């Protein structure tokens, strides 16, 4: 009795970060979370001092208004999509970093904010997972509310419509461009985790909610790109202490124990406070040149092409008319020099002795022939058992005979022969 031994080899593949790592990999989001880098490595000092939007002619106030508007869209979209707050915070950080690489004049702030939250939700592995159509419908709903629409006008877009397809394609393109400009580095560090530790050390648990709210609001500014998370946490804690009337000891400085500078903490606190003095950004479409959609670009190109063709047609017609008049003047001048009488003109303007005139006369002459006269031409008949005659022609084993004409004399002769018989 024979035994067959089968050896089964099982291979287990992990994600990129799972190789040579004892910790179990949880997917693509875990890869991005392990990109441990410094906050200052993402944006250079030159980009912070002179952003791309300012280089194209805008001022810093306009750029800040657009950033605040985009972050508010991300926060509202996160609430409507029922995503966790960590997705909104990560999306706002990616949004700020992206616009330190590109200009607001070239990329639509609404599409970029949608792409930032969509990318952050995948990075944080948020549950429940939202599809692209959910983001498109939520951003369309917020836009309609800003325009003052209500009732049936707030209905979601049809997934098979051109408008839905246009917004979806632009959002996916913006996500790819964001990954490209950021170099696929999506490491973020939130100051909320430091607040919990600082409050535990200071025994100020009654300030936790206020400090947490200040941290969330700080992401509407560019503090996340200019300072470390520890400094932002200290600034939010300072504002919470001021709002609740809590005095912290100045000697020794509390912030030095947390690795922060007192001047930086004060700057962060002042900038967070300035956000509450700004009016709410309801609509900032007039602050930047909105990028046209693909359909608008096609319609514009079609109109420009039609206008160009019409202009060329007018110019060509004018040139042909001018050439015709010059030719007529030249012919008239030659006739006067020769002393010949002017040629007879037809109604259509062509000469009677020209080649075109001769061809038209021949055509009329051919068409004036009667049908009886044309039908008297000799006709050949195909036969299979034709007799051998002199006027027959052999064509592939078949005979072609000429049809004999029936004349009046032939008919009389046949009648006489019949009578004789």
């Amino acid at each position: 009795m024979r035994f067959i031994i089968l050896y089964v080899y099982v291979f287990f593949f992990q994600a990129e970060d799972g190789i040579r790592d004892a910790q179990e990999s949880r997917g693509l989001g875990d890869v991005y979370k392990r990109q441990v880098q410094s906050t200052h490595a993402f944006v250079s000092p030159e980009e912070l001092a002179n952003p791309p939007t300012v280089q194209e002619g805008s001022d810093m106030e306009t750029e800040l208004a657009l950033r605040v508007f985009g972050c508010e869209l991300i926060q509202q979209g996160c609430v409507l999509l029922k995503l966790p707050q960590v997705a909104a915070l990560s999306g706002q950080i990616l949004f700020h970093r992206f616009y330190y690489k590109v200009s607001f004049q070239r990329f639509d702030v609404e599409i970029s904010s949608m792409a930032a939250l969509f990318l952050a939700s995948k990075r944080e592995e948020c549950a429940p997972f939202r599809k692209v159509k959910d983001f498109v419908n939520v951003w369309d709903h917020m836009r309609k509310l800003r325009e003052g629409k209500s009732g049936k006008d707030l209905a979601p877009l049809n997934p098979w419509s051109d408008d839905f397809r246009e917004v979806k394609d632009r959002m996916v393109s913006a996500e790819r461009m964001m990954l490209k400009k950021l170099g696929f580095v999506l490491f973020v560090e939130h100051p909320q985790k430091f607040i919990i530790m600082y409050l535990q050390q200071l025994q100020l648990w009654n300030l936790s909610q206020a400090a947490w709210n200040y941290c969330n609001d700080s992401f509407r500014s560019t503090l996340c790109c200019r300072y470390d998370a520890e400094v932002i946490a200290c600034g939010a804690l300072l504002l919470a202490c001021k709002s609740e009337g809590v005095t912290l000891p100045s000697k020794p400085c509390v912030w030095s124990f947390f690795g922060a500078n007192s001047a930086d903490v004060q700057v962060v606190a002042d900038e967070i406070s300035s956000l509450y003095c700004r009016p709410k950004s309801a609509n900032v479409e007039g602050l930047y040149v909105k990028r046209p959609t693909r359909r608008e670009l096609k319609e514009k190109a079609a109109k420009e092409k039609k206008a160009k063709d019409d202009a060329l047609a007018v110019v060509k017609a004018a040139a042909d008319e001018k050439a015709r008049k010059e030719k007529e003047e030249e012919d008239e001048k030659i006739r006067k020099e020769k002393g010949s009488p002017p040629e007879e003109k037809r109604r259509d303007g062509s000469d009677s002795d020209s080649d075109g005139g001769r061809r038209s006369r021949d055509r009329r002459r051919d068409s004036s022939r009667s049908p009886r006269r044309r039908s008297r031409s000799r006709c050949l008949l195909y036969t299979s058992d034709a007799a051998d005659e002199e006027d027959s022609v052999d064509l592939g084993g078949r005979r072609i005979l000429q049809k004999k004409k029936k004349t009046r004399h032939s008919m009389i002769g046949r009648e006489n022969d019949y009578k004789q018989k």
Side-chain angles (χ1 to χ4, degrees), residues 53 74 160 178 189 208 227 235 273 282 286 351 399:
T53 306
I74 293 175
W160 309 109
M178 189 173 295
E189 192 172 19
S208 58
Y227 296 97
S273 300
D351 298 340
R399 297 285 182 174

Side-chain angles (χ1 to χ4, degrees), residues 133-330:
K133 67 176 183 179
D134 300 329
F135 286 84
V136 173
N137 287 325
V138 166
W139 255 254
D140 180 72
H141 178 78
M142 292 190 294
R143 179 183 58 81
K144 291 177 180 178
L145 289 178
R146 291 195 306 272
E147 294 176 356
K149 297 181 181 180
S150 60
K152 295 182 179 180
D153 296 334
L154 297 178
L157 293 175
N158 184 9
W160 309 109
S161 62
D162 295 336
D163 296 336
F164 181 89
R165 190 180 301 108
E166 179 70 25
V167 177
K168 176 183 176 182
D169 294 342
R170 294 182 65 185
M171 196 268 285
V172 174
S173 300
E175 183 194 10
R176 294 176 181 175
M177 182 58 65
M178 189 173 295
L179 287 171
K180 179 181 177 181
K181 292 298 181 180
L182 297 180
F184 289 83
V185 179
L186 304 181
F187 168 77
V188 294
E189 192 172 19
H190 302 145
Q192 279 81 353
K193 63 181 182 180
F194 296 102
I195 287 181
I196 301 299
M197 182 178 61
Y198 297 163
L199 292 174
Q200 183 179 4
Q201 293 179 2
L202 296 174
Q203 297 297 323
L204 296 174
W205 289 108
N206 57 333
L207 303 179
S208 58
Q209 188 61 48
W212 195 277
N213 293 338
Y214 286 126
C215 273
N216 292 339
D217 295 338
S218 67
F219 285 91
R220 286 173 170 79
S221 64
T222 58
L223 292 174
C224 56
C225 298
R226 294 185 287 123
Y227 296 97
D228 293 331
E230 296 89 341
V231 181
I232 298 175
C234 292
L237 185 58
L238 177 61
L239 286 177
C241 292
K242 289 182 178 180
S243 62
E244 298 294 335
V246 178
T247 303
L248 295 176
S250 58
K251 292 183 181 180
C253 183
V254 178
W255 315 122
S256 60
F257 293 100
F258 302 144
N261 189 5
S262 300
D264 294 341
V265 172
Q266 188 64 40
V267 169
V268 169
D270 295 340
E271 190 161 346
I272 295 175
S273 300
S274 64
L275 294 175
Y276 302 104
C277 300
R278 299 179 58 85
K280 188 175 181 179
S281 301
N283 197 351
V284 292
E285 292 183 357
L287 298 179
Y288 71 104
V289 180
K290 191 172 183 179
R291 186 180 180 184
T293 61
R294 191 176 304 172
R295 185 193 306 174
E296 294 174 353
L297 292 175
K298 288 183 179 180
E299 292 177 356
K300 183 179 179 181
K303 290 180 180 179
E304 292 179 354
K305 184 179 179 181
K306 183 179 179 181
K308 185 177 180 180
D309 294 342
D310 295 343
L312 291 176
V314 172
V315 172
K316 185 178 180 181
D320 295 343
E321 183 68 18
K322 183 178 180 180
R324 187 182 65 80
K325 290 182 179 180
E326 291 178 354
K327 185 178 180 181
E328 290 179 356
E329 293 176 358
E330 185 178 356

Side-chain angles (χ1 to χ4, degrees), residues 367-418:
S367 62
S368 63
R369 295 177 180 177
S370 61
R372 179 180 297 178
R373 186 174 180 181
R374 291 198 302 269
S375 63
R376 292 179 182 177
S377 60
R378 304 177 69 180
C379 177
L380 300 180
L381 298 178
Y382 290 95
T383 60
S384 59
D385 52 351
D388 294 333
E389 297 184 5
E390 296 179 357
D391 54 353
S392 63
V393 181
D394 188 5
L395 182 62
R398 302 175 63 185
R399 297 285 182 174
I400 299 178
L401 300 181
Q402 295 182 357
K403 185 178 180 181
K404 296 182 180 180
K405 299 178 182 179
K406 294 182 179 180
T407 59
R408 183 171 179 274
H409 299 285
S410 62
M411 295 296 294
I412 295 173
R414 291 182 180 180
E415 290 178 0
N416 296 331
D417 295 341
Y418 179 73

Side-chain angles (χ1 to χ4, degrees), residues 89-119:
L89 300 179
S90 300
Q92 290 171 352
I93 294 176
L94 299 178
F95 177 81
H96 285 302
R97 292 178 185 173
F98 176 66
Y99 277 108
Y100 272 119
K101 307 296 181 181
V102 299
S103 172
F104 281 98
Q105 306 294 340
R106 299 187 59 185
F107 293 90
D108 190 1
V109 61
E110 296 184 23
I111 302 298
S112 300
S113 60
M114 189 194 317
L117 183 59
F118 181 67
L119 184 59

